[in-house]
Amino acid sequence: MRFNRRRVLTGLLALLFGFGASIIAFRASDWATSHKASGTLLGTLDFAAYCQLTHGPQARAVHDRIDAFGWECSFFVQRRYNLREINADQACAALYHGGAYAETYDSHSPYSWQCFEGPRH
């Protein structure tokens, strides 16, 4: 059997590349885990349910921005149209319990809000 230097070098490079990619993947996983909220996930923040809870069954949640922020409740009182800005922490507290708070995992997505309890990160 003849020694093929090129084949050995290719094998070593593939092994080193695989090892390096594994290290990067583990570090990315550690970073993502350490940057999550420290509290316990209660569930998603349902802005529509919060609006109906606080302003009646006809209330609707509206969003007027391109990021996660800008949620409002729209509702009528005596034939007058109203908009009320939603405080995400208050919405979680109302939907889950008084100690709940809100966090978004993607500030660019309006549907990335979640409610937690326990220590904040």
Side-chain angles (χ1 to χ4, degrees):
M1 183 175 239
R2 188 168 170 216
F3 178 75
N4 188 334
R5 182 184 295 185
R6 186 175 184 164
R7 182 176 267 178
V8 170
L9 286 176
T10 302
L12 283 173
L13 283 174
L15 190 62
L16 286 174
F17 178 77
F19 180 73
S22 296
I23 294 295
I24 290 170
F26 285 126
R27 291 196 182 219
S29 174
D30 288 345
W31 181 87
T33 301
S34 68
H35 286 79
K36 287 182 181 176
S38 299
T40 302
L41 176 64
L42 298 173
T44 59
L45 176 46
D46 186 343
F47 288 100
Y50 172 73
C51 291
Q52 292 174 354
L53 177 70
T54 56
H55 301 290
Q58 300 304 316
R60 300 288 178 251
V62 295
H63 186 259
D64 63 354
R65 291 176 47 164
I66 61 170
D67 58 11
F69 307 94
W71 282 100
E72 297 176 308
C73 292
S74 69
F75 57 98
F76 286 90
V77 174
Q78 297 176 350
R79 296 188 309 211
R80 264 179 111 181
Y81 182 72
N82 295 277
L83 278 175
R84 295 287 184 272
E85 184 177 335
I86 299 173
N87 176 301
D89 285 330
Q90 290 175 357
C92 281
L95 291 171
Y96 291 96
H97 58 72
Y101 61 90
E103 288 196 4
T104 179
Y105 57 83
D106 181 358
S107 62
H108 301 291
S109 172
Y111 304 101
S112 63
W113 287 97
Q114 296 177 322
C115 296
F116 294 87
E117 68 180 350
R120 287 184 184 252
H121 97 100

